[in-house]
Amino acid sequence: MGCVVRFRTRLPRVSQLRYAVERNLKEFMNAAPLHLILVHFPIVLVPVGTFFLLISLFLRSNPVGRSALSLFILAGLLAVPAYLLGEGAEDIAKLVSEVKKHDIHEHEEAALFALISTSVLAVCSALFLFLKRGLSDYSVKPIVGILVLAIFAASTLILTGQRGGMIRHPEAFSANVTQKGESLNDGD
């Protein structure tokens, strides 16, 4: 007969776990990191969806096209909270002395433009999926129109991301910095 060993562990109560989670979220997950996490999804999803849409045009493949349109819808849905969390991230970024308010303002203007273009892309994609459900034919003209919107939205998202990167990493975008980080103008 086997010997059963029982360990008695004291598990934390649900209320203790809830308090620990809430405390950690308040300390570590303010608007800035949430904004940084969410903002990368549309920046990646729209170009990937654009690539899938191009493949669907060449292959005349409905499933690949539907996948691309679904990625656009997801990107549009994630762009909204990313944009809204930008205000809180701005408040936190203004507390950092190296951050320039001009860079924040440029990023904010580009972000609004990117939000609008991504939202238009998502709505057009959703309408196309809704109107074409159940149809087996492949409609090229609306797909080309959505492709143009996707290229435009991807461009605005990439520009917005680049301007967002300038807020905390201006050294990455400076023309006067060499590979080792030395200024080209030091010898003048």
Side-chain angles (χ1 to χ4, degrees), residues 19-123:
Y19 172 74
V21 168
E22 287 174 358
R23 188 184 78 228
N24 286 334
L25 282 175
K26 286 179 184 174
E27 289 178 13
F28 300 110
M29 294 306 278
N30 56 35
L34 285 174
H35 173 71
L36 291 174
I37 290 168
L38 283 177
V39 79
H40 287 92
F41 285 103
I43 292 173
V44 172
L45 289 174
V46 172
V48 168
T50 304
F51 178 71
F52 282 175
L53 200 59
L54 277 171
I55 290 173
S56 79
L57 273 173
F58 288 120
L59 300 177
R60 300 228 185 252
S61 171
N62 271 339
V64 176
R66 280 196 287 276
S67 298
L69 297 174
S70 299
L71 288 177
F72 296 149
I73 295 168
L74 180 61
L77 291 174
L78 291 173
V80 174
Y83 179 80
L84 294 176
L85 285 168
E87 285 296 321
E90 176 185 2
D91 294 339
I92 293 167
K94 284 181 179 176
L95 299 175
V96 179
S97 62
E98 300 91 35
V99 172
K100 297 177 185 171
K101 291 181 183 178
H102 173 72
D103 290 340
I104 293 174
H105 181 69
E106 280 190 4
H107 175 62
E108 189 175 12
E109 285 183 353
L112 180 60
F113 204 53
L115 173 67
I116 292 169
S117 64
T118 306
S119 298
V120 168
L121 174 64
V123 168

